[in-house]
Amino acid sequence: MVSGALPLLPGLLLLLLLPSPLPGLTPRASVCPATCRCYSATVECGALRLRAIPSGIPPGTQTLFLQDNNIARLEPSSLAPLSALRHLYLHNNSLHTLESGAFRAQPRLLELALTGNRLRGLRGSEFAGLAQLRVLYLAGNQLAKLLDFTFLHLPRLQELHLQENSIELLESQALAGLSSLALLDLSRNQLATISREALKPLASLQVLRLTENPWRCDCALHWLGTWMKEGGQRLLSSRDKKITCAEPPRLATQSLLEVSGSSLICIPPSVHVQPLELTASLGEDLRMACQASGYPQPLVTWRKVSQPRQGRPQAQTQLEGGAPALGGPAARDTGSGMLFLTNITLEHAGKYECEATNAGGMARVPFRLLVNASRQWSGPPQSSPGPVARPPGSASRLDSGSMAFRALGLATQTAIAAAIALLALTALLLAAMICRRRRRRKKAQAPPGEGALFVNDYSDGPGTFAQLEELRDERGHEMFVIDRSKPLFAQGSAEAPAGGGGGGGQAEGPAPGLGLPPRVAYRSRC
């Protein structure tokens, strides 16, 4: 038995000398995820229609392929065990956002590919912990702006690919911290301008790509044209030097290198606010427009001059294409800014400023808001009886029309007043015409045969002064009219004395044999 057991001793000694497995390595962890392929320190899970990172990836994995899937969100727990990861490929997925510190568990990561996703914005905290990252692919996303200090956590980054996005704004400190960057690709975006300060942190830059952007060739790009002709020659290939102007129209399609410096001009901003002072009532809403012009289109900012104390209501700037934003230095709008104050209180009173800035300069106009405290509703009286109190907001409703009218510009107020005056004059003319027509109709409807006979008109028979009446026509002229209702002869004519003797006298009246027509009564009116 002893002699048979001696050959087994070398095998047992070998088993004792083998290293024990690592504490974090379990038998399940060494198994490759289903449908994925694993070899050496690489795991391939591409084009599998995955919606999440599969579980069971070995912790020692250094290269992970997850491209061409449908992953919409990175779960922090799914990447946490992969601390040894060096290369992570997540391109052509459906990522909308990245959570803060999404890659904090990968401090050794050297290459991160996020190309072809649906990222719309970056805050900067997404890349916290990636101090060793060398290459970052963000091309083909939906990024519209790069804010200040977005890449501050990437001090050793050497390549930054941002082409084929929709970037319109690159803030002056967006690339801060990228002192090791050698390649920056901003081609095929929507950049209209770029400042010299934005490229200042790039001390190690060797390749710069800015082509296929709608560049606005004005004074703000004067430095770029000069830089390209001088120190920038070594950074731009022959293809990268073809920076074409999109505006102004007179310079469209021309190369920036071919445009003279005197043609790159700007028009300083001009600001108009009307009226400059306005009185509002408590509880009302206020909208005040600030019109700004210039080239390029100025950025407009409304701000309250005196900084409000804690708890004081803030002014709001109504942006042109969206929801109201808190007023202050960051509340901006291109072209026209709308100051919007709701439920005005005494705290809103004070001095405001509308400021417009562009590459050509800055302009500012003050505006003062006064608040009428007498219109504040104090509620119904509680002690002595008095007039019935108005409900809250009734005063503001009564005066909202006048408030809105005062908020209009001077030219608009003048036009409205002129229109009202013209309407009133038209109404007076119409009333006069109607009265005149009515008078004519009354005259036309007079009874036939009824009219006035003047003293020199004897077509109706003889008359006496006893039948004349002095009248005045409608214009005040004097006239004499015959009144036929009065007798032509005296009604009390003398008759022969009764019982006269001897051939008695004859009556003074007409002879008995004189045939006179019977008396006819006439009446003439005007």
Side-chain angles (χ1 to χ4, degrees), residues 274-275 277-279 284-288 398-420:
Q274 189 65 31
E277 184 175 306
L278 186 64
T279 301
E284 288 183 339
D285 296 341
L286 173 66
R287 298 180 66 189
M288 178 58 61
L398 292 175
D399 295 336
S400 60
S402 60
M403 177 67 190
F405 181 77
R406 292 196 302 269
L408 297 175
L410 182 60
T412 308
Q413 294 180 6
T414 306
I416 293 176
I420 294 175

PDB file of all heavy atoms in Angstrom, residues 274-275 277-279 284-288 398-420:
ATOM      1  N   GLN A 274     -39.843 100.507 -26.122  1.00  0.00           N
ATOM      2  CA  GLN A 274     -40.870 101.554 -26.058  1.00  0.00           C
ATOM      3  C   GLN A 274     -42.086 101.022 -25.314  1.00  0.00           C
ATOM      4  O   GLN A 274     -42.603  99.952 -25.667  1.00  0.00           O
ATOM      5  CB  GLN A 274     -41.274 101.972 -27.473  1.00  0.00           C
ATOM      6  CG  GLN A 274     -42.184 103.197 -27.530  1.00  0.00           C
ATOM      7  CD  GLN A 274     -41.512 104.454 -27.038  1.00  0.00           C
ATOM      8  OE1 GLN A 274     -40.291 104.592 -27.193  1.00  0.00           O
ATOM      9  NE2 GLN A 274     -42.260 105.349 -26.442  1.00  0.00           N
ATOM     10  N   PRO A 275     -42.568 101.730 -24.274  1.00  0.00           N
ATOM     11  CA  PRO A 275     -42.026 102.950 -23.683  1.00  0.00           C
ATOM     12  C   PRO A 275     -40.869 102.635 -22.736  1.00  0.00           C
ATOM     13  O   PRO A 275     -40.657 101.485 -22.371  1.00  0.00           O
ATOM     14  CB  PRO A 275     -43.220 103.512 -22.919  1.00  0.00           C
ATOM     15  CG  PRO A 275     -43.992 102.285 -22.523  1.00  0.00           C
ATOM     16  CD  PRO A 275     -43.842 101.308 -23.654  1.00  0.00           C
ATOM     17  N   GLU A 277     -40.693 103.868 -19.711  1.00  0.00           N
ATOM     18  CA  GLU A 277     -41.224 103.817 -18.344  1.00  0.00           C
ATOM     19  C   GLU A 277     -42.682 103.430 -18.411  1.00  0.00           C
ATOM     20  O   GLU A 277     -43.429 103.908 -19.272  1.00  0.00           O
ATOM     21  CB  GLU A 277     -41.055 105.175 -17.650  1.00  0.00           C
ATOM     22  CG  GLU A 277     -41.501 105.171 -16.186  1.00  0.00           C
ATOM     23  CD  GLU A 277     -41.205 106.482 -15.491  1.00  0.00           C
ATOM     24  OE1 GLU A 277     -40.025 106.901 -15.530  1.00  0.00           O
ATOM     25  OE2 GLU A 277     -42.139 107.090 -14.940  1.00  0.00           O
ATOM     26  N   LEU A 278     -43.081 102.573 -17.503  1.00  0.00           N
ATOM     27  CA  LEU A 278     -44.438 102.048 -17.537  1.00  0.00           C
ATOM     28  C   LEU A 278     -44.937 101.850 -16.119  1.00  0.00           C
ATOM     29  O   LEU A 278     -44.178 101.444 -15.233  1.00  0.00           O
ATOM     30  CB  LEU A 278     -44.464 100.717 -18.301  1.00  0.00           C
ATOM     31  CG  LEU A 278     -45.834 100.098 -18.564  1.00  0.00           C
ATOM     32  CD1 LEU A 278     -46.651 100.990 -19.467  1.00  0.00           C
ATOM     33  CD2 LEU A 278     -45.662  98.719 -19.212  1.00  0.00           C
ATOM     34  N   THR A 279     -46.203 102.173 -15.908  1.00  0.00           N
ATOM     35  CA  THR A 279     -46.845 101.975 -14.611  1.00  0.00           C
ATOM     36  C   THR A 279     -47.819 100.817 -14.719  1.00  0.00           C
ATOM     37  O   THR A 279     -48.699 100.814 -15.580  1.00  0.00           O
ATOM     38  CB  THR A 279     -47.580 103.240 -14.164  1.00  0.00           C
ATOM     39  OG1 THR A 279     -46.652 104.320 -14.089  1.00  0.00           O
ATOM     40  CG2 THR A 279     -48.218 103.036 -12.800  1.00  0.00           C
ATOM     41  N   GLU A 284     -51.328  92.458 -12.167  1.00  0.00           N
ATOM     42  CA  GLU A 284     -51.349  92.390 -13.621  1.00  0.00           C
ATOM     43  C   GLU A 284     -50.163  91.581 -14.144  1.00  0.00           C
ATOM     44  O   GLU A 284     -49.215  91.273 -13.421  1.00  0.00           O
ATOM     45  CB  GLU A 284     -51.303  93.793 -14.224  1.00  0.00           C
ATOM     46  CG  GLU A 284     -52.593  94.573 -14.066  1.00  0.00           C
ATOM     47  CD  GLU A 284     -52.521  95.920 -14.745  1.00  0.00           C
ATOM     48  OE1 GLU A 284     -51.400  96.423 -14.982  1.00  0.00           O
ATOM     49  OE2 GLU A 284     -53.589  96.480 -15.035  1.00  0.00           O
ATOM     50  N   ASP A 285     -50.222  91.251 -15.436  1.00  0.00           N
ATOM     51  CA  ASP A 285     -49.119  90.620 -16.147  1.00  0.00           C
ATOM     52  C   ASP A 285     -48.522  91.637 -17.109  1.00  0.00           C
ATOM     53  O   ASP A 285     -49.241  92.469 -17.676  1.00  0.00           O
ATOM     54  CB  ASP A 285     -49.588  89.389 -16.923  1.00  0.00           C
ATOM     55  CG  ASP A 285     -50.104  88.300 -16.000  1.00  0.00           C
ATOM     56  OD1 ASP A 285     -49.775  88.345 -14.802  1.00  0.00           O
ATOM     57  OD2 ASP A 285     -50.845  87.421 -16.480  1.00  0.00           O
ATOM     58  N   LEU A 286     -47.237  91.549 -17.302  1.00  0.00           N
ATOM     59  CA  LEU A 286     -46.537  92.521 -18.153  1.00  0.00           C
ATOM     60  C   LEU A 286     -45.714  91.786 -19.186  1.00  0.00           C
ATOM     61  O   LEU A 286     -44.995  90.836 -18.879  1.00  0.00           O
ATOM     62  CB  LEU A 286     -45.615  93.419 -17.311  1.00  0.00           C
ATOM     63  CG  LEU A 286     -44.698  94.368 -18.108  1.00  0.00           C
ATOM     64  CD1 LEU A 286     -45.528  95.399 -18.845  1.00  0.00           C
ATOM     65  CD2 LEU A 286     -43.688  95.024 -17.196  1.00  0.00           C
ATOM     66  N   ARG A 287     -45.818  92.262 -20.422  1.00  0.00           N
ATOM     67  CA  ARG A 287     -44.969  91.783 -21.502  1.00  0.00           C
ATOM     68  C   ARG A 287     -44.342  93.000 -22.168  1.00  0.00           C
ATOM     69  O   ARG A 287     -45.041  93.849 -22.698  1.00  0.00           O
ATOM     70  CB  ARG A 287     -45.769  90.972 -22.521  1.00  0.00           C
ATOM     71  CG  ARG A 287     -46.395  89.714 -21.951  1.00  0.00           C
ATOM     72  CD  ARG A 287     -47.172  88.969 -23.004  1.00  0.00           C
ATOM     73  NE  ARG A 287     -46.297  88.457 -24.043  1.00  0.00           N
ATOM     74  CZ  ARG A 287     -46.735  87.905 -25.184  1.00  0.00           C
ATOM     75  NH1 ARG A 287     -48.031  87.814 -25.399  1.00  0.00           N
ATOM     76  NH2 ARG A 287     -45.878  87.460 -26.074  1.00  0.00           N
ATOM     77  N   MET A 288     -43.028  93.073 -22.128  1.00  0.00           N
ATOM     78  CA  MET A 288     -42.310  94.213 -22.690  1.00  0.00           C
ATOM     79  C   MET A 288     -41.308  93.702 -23.725  1.00  0.00           C
ATOM     80  O   MET A 288     -40.453  92.872 -23.412  1.00  0.00           O
ATOM     81  CB  MET A 288     -41.588  94.988 -21.579  1.00  0.00           C
ATOM     82  CG  MET A 288     -40.782  96.172 -22.085  1.00  0.00           C
ATOM     83  SD  MET A 288     -41.778  97.372 -23.010  1.00  0.00           S
ATOM     84  CE  MET A 288     -42.946  97.844 -21.747  1.00  0.00           C
ATOM     85  N   LEU A 398     -60.410  95.722 -15.133  1.00  0.00           N
ATOM     86  CA  LEU A 398     -60.929  96.959 -15.694  1.00  0.00           C
ATOM     87  C   LEU A 398     -59.855  97.733 -16.428  1.00  0.00           C
ATOM     88  O   LEU A 398     -60.120  98.413 -17.418  1.00  0.00           O
ATOM     89  CB  LEU A 398     -61.533  97.824 -14.579  1.00  0.00           C
ATOM     90  CG  LEU A 398     -62.797  97.278 -13.926  1.00  0.00           C
ATOM     91  CD1 LEU A 398     -63.204  98.160 -12.763  1.00  0.00           C
ATOM     92  CD2 LEU A 398     -63.922  97.151 -14.929  1.00  0.00           C
ATOM     93  N   ASP A 399     -58.657  97.684 -15.924  1.00  0.00           N
ATOM     94  CA  ASP A 399     -57.590  98.485 -16.515  1.00  0.00           C
ATOM     95  C   ASP A 399     -56.683  97.690 -17.430  1.00  0.00           C
ATOM     96  O   ASP A 399     -55.664  98.190 -17.886  1.00  0.00           O
ATOM     97  CB  ASP A 399     -56.730  99.108 -15.401  1.00  0.00           C
ATOM     98  CG  ASP A 399     -57.524 100.095 -14.576  1.00  0.00           C
ATOM     99  OD1 ASP A 399     -58.513 100.613 -15.135  1.00  0.00           O
ATOM    100  OD2 ASP A 399     -57.165 100.334 -13.408  1.00  0.00           O
ATOM    101  N   SER A 400     -57.019  96.444 -17.685  1.00  0.00           N
ATOM    102  CA  SER A 400     -56.120  95.644 -18.516  1.00  0.00           C
ATOM    103  C   SER A 400     -56.041  96.198 -19.921  1.00  0.00           C
ATOM    104  O   SER A 400     -54.997  96.156 -20.567  1.00  0.00           O
ATOM    105  CB  SER A 400     -56.611  94.199 -18.537  1.00  0.00           C
ATOM    106  OG  SER A 400     -57.916  94.131 -19.069  1.00  0.00           O
ATOM    107  N   GLY A 401     -57.185  96.774 -20.406  1.00  0.00           N
ATOM    108  CA  GLY A 401     -57.142  97.350 -21.742  1.00  0.00           C
ATOM    109  C   GLY A 401     -56.204  98.524 -21.824  1.00  0.00           C
ATOM    110  O   GLY A 401     -55.388  98.648 -22.735  1.00  0.00           O
ATOM    111  N   SER A 402     -56.313  99.454 -20.836  1.00  0.00           N
ATOM    112  CA  SER A 402     -55.423 100.609 -20.845  1.00  0.00           C
ATOM    113  C   SER A 402     -53.994 100.184 -20.618  1.00  0.00           C
ATOM    114  O   SER A 402     -53.062 100.750 -21.178  1.00  0.00           O
ATOM    115  CB  SER A 402     -55.863 101.601 -19.762  1.00  0.00           C
ATOM    116  OG  SER A 402     -55.802 100.985 -18.485  1.00  0.00           O
ATOM    117  N   MET A 403     -53.794  99.141 -19.795  1.00  0.00           N
ATOM    118  CA  MET A 403     -52.438  98.646 -19.559  1.00  0.00           C
ATOM    119  C   MET A 403     -51.833  98.128 -20.847  1.00  0.00           C
ATOM    120  O   MET A 403     -50.684  98.405 -21.182  1.00  0.00           O
ATOM    121  CB  MET A 403     -52.498  97.541 -18.509  1.00  0.00           C
ATOM    122  CG  MET A 403     -51.163  96.893 -18.213  1.00  0.00           C
ATOM    123  SD  MET A 403     -50.047  98.030 -17.428  1.00  0.00           S
ATOM    124  CE  MET A 403     -48.539  97.053 -17.512  1.00  0.00           C
ATOM    125  N   ALA A 404     -52.633  97.359 -21.588  1.00  0.00           N
ATOM    126  CA  ALA A 404     -52.132  96.820 -22.842  1.00  0.00           C
ATOM    127  C   ALA A 404     -51.851  97.931 -23.842  1.00  0.00           C
ATOM    128  O   ALA A 404     -50.901  97.872 -24.612  1.00  0.00           O
ATOM    129  CB  ALA A 404     -53.151  95.829 -23.418  1.00  0.00           C
ATOM    130  N   PHE A 405     -52.717  99.002 -23.839  1.00  0.00           N
ATOM    131  CA  PHE A 405     -52.501 100.109 -24.765  1.00  0.00           C
ATOM    132  C   PHE A 405     -51.221 100.852 -24.426  1.00  0.00           C
ATOM    133  O   PHE A 405     -50.454 101.232 -25.308  1.00  0.00           O
ATOM    134  CB  PHE A 405     -53.711 101.062 -24.702  1.00  0.00           C
ATOM    135  CG  PHE A 405     -53.603 102.229 -25.651  1.00  0.00           C
ATOM    136  CD1 PHE A 405     -53.844 102.058 -27.000  1.00  0.00           C
ATOM    137  CD2 PHE A 405     -53.248 103.484 -25.195  1.00  0.00           C
ATOM    138  CE1 PHE A 405     -53.746 103.116 -27.877  1.00  0.00           C
ATOM    139  CE2 PHE A 405     -53.146 104.544 -26.063  1.00  0.00           C
ATOM    140  CZ  PHE A 405     -53.401 104.367 -27.409  1.00  0.00           C
ATOM    141  N   ARG A 406     -50.946 101.059 -23.123  1.00  0.00           N
ATOM    142  CA  ARG A 406     -49.719 101.764 -22.746  1.00  0.00           C
ATOM    143  C   ARG A 406     -48.477 100.956 -23.055  1.00  0.00           C
ATOM    144  O   ARG A 406     -47.402 101.510 -23.269  1.00  0.00           O
ATOM    145  CB  ARG A 406     -49.749 102.097 -21.253  1.00  0.00           C
ATOM    146  CG  ARG A 406     -50.780 103.127 -20.881  1.00  0.00           C
ATOM    147  CD  ARG A 406     -50.474 103.690 -19.492  1.00  0.00           C
ATOM    148  NE  ARG A 406     -50.451 102.655 -18.487  1.00  0.00           N
ATOM    149  CZ  ARG A 406     -51.508 102.284 -17.779  1.00  0.00           C
ATOM    150  NH1 ARG A 406     -52.681 102.848 -17.990  1.00  0.00           N
ATOM    151  NH2 ARG A 406     -51.402 101.345 -16.858  1.00  0.00           N
ATOM    152  N   ALA A 407     -48.640  99.658 -23.101  1.00  0.00           N
ATOM    153  CA  ALA A 407     -47.474  98.822 -23.396  1.00  0.00           C
ATOM    154  C   ALA A 407     -47.105  98.838 -24.870  1.00  0.00           C
ATOM    155  O   ALA A 407     -46.026  98.407 -25.233  1.00  0.00           O
ATOM    156  CB  ALA A 407     -47.745  97.380 -22.957  1.00  0.00           C
ATOM    157  N   LEU A 408     -48.031  99.379 -25.723  1.00  0.00           N
ATOM    158  CA  LEU A 408     -47.728  99.449 -27.145  1.00  0.00           C
ATOM    159  C   LEU A 408     -46.721 100.551 -27.426  1.00  0.00           C
ATOM    160  O   LEU A 408     -46.521 101.464 -26.635  1.00  0.00           O
ATOM    161  CB  LEU A 408     -49.017  99.702 -27.941  1.00  0.00           C
ATOM    162  CG  LEU A 408     -50.089  98.598 -27.851  1.00  0.00           C
ATOM    163  CD1 LEU A 408     -51.344  99.044 -28.570  1.00  0.00           C
ATOM    164  CD2 LEU A 408     -49.585  97.292 -28.437  1.00  0.00           C
ATOM    165  N   GLY A 409     -46.132 100.492 -28.601  1.00  0.00           N
ATOM    166  CA  GLY A 409     -45.178 101.516 -28.998  1.00  0.00           C
ATOM    167  C   GLY A 409     -45.874 102.826 -29.331  1.00  0.00           C
ATOM    168  O   GLY A 409     -47.095 102.896 -29.544  1.00  0.00           O
ATOM    169  N   LEU A 410     -45.085 103.906 -29.401  1.00  0.00           N
ATOM    170  CA  LEU A 410     -45.641 105.227 -29.675  1.00  0.00           C
ATOM    171  C   LEU A 410     -46.278 105.275 -31.050  1.00  0.00           C
ATOM    172  O   LEU A 410     -47.359 105.852 -31.230  1.00  0.00           O
ATOM    173  CB  LEU A 410     -44.531 106.279 -29.552  1.00  0.00           C
ATOM    174  CG  LEU A 410     -44.969 107.739 -29.778  1.00  0.00           C
ATOM    175  CD1 LEU A 410     -46.025 108.138 -28.766  1.00  0.00           C
ATOM    176  CD2 LEU A 410     -43.755 108.669 -29.689  1.00  0.00           C
ATOM    177  N   ALA A 411     -45.641 104.691 -32.039  1.00  0.00           N
ATOM    178  CA  ALA A 411     -46.201 104.702 -33.388  1.00  0.00           C
ATOM    179  C   ALA A 411     -47.523 103.934 -33.437  1.00  0.00           C
ATOM    180  O   ALA A 411     -48.485 104.368 -34.089  1.00  0.00           O
ATOM    181  CB  ALA A 411     -45.208 104.096 -34.376  1.00  0.00           C
ATOM    182  N   THR A 412     -47.601 102.828 -32.728  1.00  0.00           N
ATOM    183  CA  THR A 412     -48.841 102.049 -32.710  1.00  0.00           C
ATOM    184  C   THR A 412     -49.955 102.801 -32.012  1.00  0.00           C
ATOM    185  O   THR A 412     -51.104 102.814 -32.462  1.00  0.00           O
ATOM    186  CB  THR A 412     -48.593 100.704 -32.006  1.00  0.00           C
ATOM    187  OG1 THR A 412     -47.467 100.060 -32.602  1.00  0.00           O
ATOM    188  CG2 THR A 412     -49.804  99.801 -32.114  1.00  0.00           C
ATOM    189  N   GLN A 413     -49.632 103.473 -30.885  1.00  0.00           N
ATOM    190  CA  GLN A 413     -50.637 104.272 -30.192  1.00  0.00           C
ATOM    191  C   GLN A 413     -51.158 105.394 -31.083  1.00  0.00           C
ATOM    192  O   GLN A 413     -52.366 105.668 -31.139  1.00  0.00           O
ATOM    193  CB  GLN A 413     -50.041 104.843 -28.906  1.00  0.00           C
ATOM    194  CG  GLN A 413     -49.695 103.795 -27.858  1.00  0.00           C
ATOM    195  CD  GLN A 413     -49.118 104.406 -26.607  1.00  0.00           C
ATOM    196  OE1 GLN A 413     -49.079 105.629 -26.475  1.00  0.00           O
ATOM    197  NE2 GLN A 413     -48.668 103.565 -25.686  1.00  0.00           N
ATOM    198  N   THR A 414     -50.272 106.082 -31.805  1.00  0.00           N
ATOM    199  CA  THR A 414     -50.684 107.172 -32.700  1.00  0.00           C
ATOM    200  C   THR A 414     -51.590 106.652 -33.796  1.00  0.00           C
ATOM    201  O   THR A 414     -52.601 107.277 -34.148  1.00  0.00           O
ATOM    202  CB  THR A 414     -49.440 107.847 -33.296  1.00  0.00           C
ATOM    203  OG1 THR A 414     -48.579 108.261 -32.232  1.00  0.00           O
ATOM    204  CG2 THR A 414     -49.840 109.051 -34.128  1.00  0.00           C
ATOM    205  N   ALA A 415     -51.244 105.512 -34.368  1.00  0.00           N
ATOM    206  CA  ALA A 415     -52.065 104.950 -35.442  1.00  0.00           C
ATOM    207  C   ALA A 415     -53.464 104.584 -34.940  1.00  0.00           C
ATOM    208  O   ALA A 415     -54.459 104.831 -35.617  1.00  0.00           O
ATOM    209  CB  ALA A 415     -51.370 103.716 -36.028  1.00  0.00           C
ATOM    210  N   ILE A 416     -53.538 104.012 -33.732  1.00  0.00           N
ATOM    211  CA  ILE A 416     -54.846 103.652 -33.173  1.00  0.00           C
ATOM    212  C   ILE A 416     -55.680 104.899 -32.907  1.00  0.00           C
ATOM    213  O   ILE A 416     -56.885 104.950 -33.199  1.00  0.00           O
ATOM    214  CB  ILE A 416     -54.648 102.818 -31.890  1.00  0.00           C
ATOM    215  CG1 ILE A 416     -54.017 101.464 -32.228  1.00  0.00           C
ATOM    216  CG2 ILE A 416     -55.970 102.614 -31.164  1.00  0.00           C
ATOM    217  CD1 ILE A 416     -53.692 100.630 -31.007  1.00  0.00           C
ATOM    218  N   ALA A 417     -55.068 105.956 -32.348  1.00  0.00           N
ATOM    219  CA  ALA A 417     -55.799 107.195 -32.081  1.00  0.00           C
ATOM    220  C   ALA A 417     -56.306 107.829 -33.377  1.00  0.00           C
ATOM    221  O   ALA A 417     -57.442 108.322 -33.452  1.00  0.00           O
ATOM    222  CB  ALA A 417     -54.895 108.173 -31.332  1.00  0.00           C
ATOM    223  N   ALA A 418     -55.473 107.827 -34.422  1.00  0.00           N
ATOM    224  CA  ALA A 418     -55.902 108.392 -35.706  1.00  0.00           C
ATOM    225  C   ALA A 418     -57.059 107.595 -36.295  1.00  0.00           C
ATOM    226  O   ALA A 418     -57.998 108.161 -36.865  1.00  0.00           O
ATOM    227  CB  ALA A 418     -54.723 108.420 -36.678  1.00  0.00           C
ATOM    228  N   ALA A 419     -57.013 106.281 -36.160  1.00  0.00           N
ATOM    229  CA  ALA A 419     -58.102 105.457 -36.679  1.00  0.00           C
ATOM    230  C   ALA A 419     -59.409 105.731 -35.938  1.00  0.00           C
ATOM    231  O   ALA A 419     -60.484 105.803 -36.547  1.00  0.00           O
ATOM    232  CB  ALA A 419     -57.723 103.980 -36.571  1.00  0.00           C
ATOM    233  N   ILE A 420     -59.321 105.904 -34.608  1.00  0.00           N
ATOM    234  CA  ILE A 420     -60.533 106.207 -33.829  1.00  0.00           C
ATOM    235  C   ILE A 420     -61.111 107.558 -34.239  1.00  0.00           C
ATOM    236  O   ILE A 420     -62.327 107.726 -34.397  1.00  0.00           O
ATOM    237  CB  ILE A 420     -60.201 106.171 -32.325  1.00  0.00           C
ATOM    238  CG1 ILE A 420     -59.836 104.737 -31.896  1.00  0.00           C
ATOM    239  CG2 ILE A 420     -61.366 106.682 -31.492  1.00  0.00           C
ATOM    240  CD1 ILE A 420     -59.372 104.625 -30.470  1.00  0.00           C
TER     241      ILE A 420
END
